[in-house]
Amino acid sequence: ESQLFILLRPNQKTGKTAKHRLKEEILASKCFDRIRLSNSSFAARCVAVDGDVSSPDMGLSTLDLERICASVSLVFHCAATV
């Protein structure tokens, strides 16, 4: 089954990792209520990746960059300056 890699900046103020932010802030959001009801295992396909789109190589570790380059065929860019 395919995976969805989600690049997130760790929150340096709170110490929350990308994995924690994905689980607690994003996937727990009301906007995912409908998909949680229809597919309870969707969150298991979501993989948080620490990074920063304003950094070289998007702030990815060498291991994450290699893994993503080897397995990703489609990229959605939704980053923004807030």
Side-chain angles (χ1 to χ4, degrees):
E1 198 166 281
S2 60
Q3 293 179 310
L4 176 64
F5 292 94
I6 303 171
L7 180 82
L8 295 166
R9 268 194 324 252
N11 188 323
Q12 294 179 349
K13 290 180 184 178
T14 64
K16 291 181 181 178
T17 63
K19 186 176 183 177
H20 185 279
R21 290 191 61 215
L22 177 64
K23 181 180 178 186
E24 300 295 325
E25 297 175 16
I26 296 172
L27 297 179
S29 169
K30 287 187 176 212
C31 69
F32 289 101
D33 285 351
R34 178 181 258 173
I35 196 165
R36 268 194 302 277
L37 290 172
S38 64
N39 183 352
S40 61
S41 65
F42 92 98
R45 294 176 54 197
C46 298
V47 179
V49 180
D50 287 309
D52 184 341
V53 295
S54 65
S55 299
D57 291 329
M58 296 186 295
L60 294 166
S61 69
T62 302
L63 180 63
D64 284 336
L65 184 58
E66 290 173 358
R67 178 172 63 153
I68 289 170
C69 287
S71 61
V72 171
S73 59
L74 181 64
V75 173
F76 290 94
H77 183 298
C78 300
T81 302
V82 214

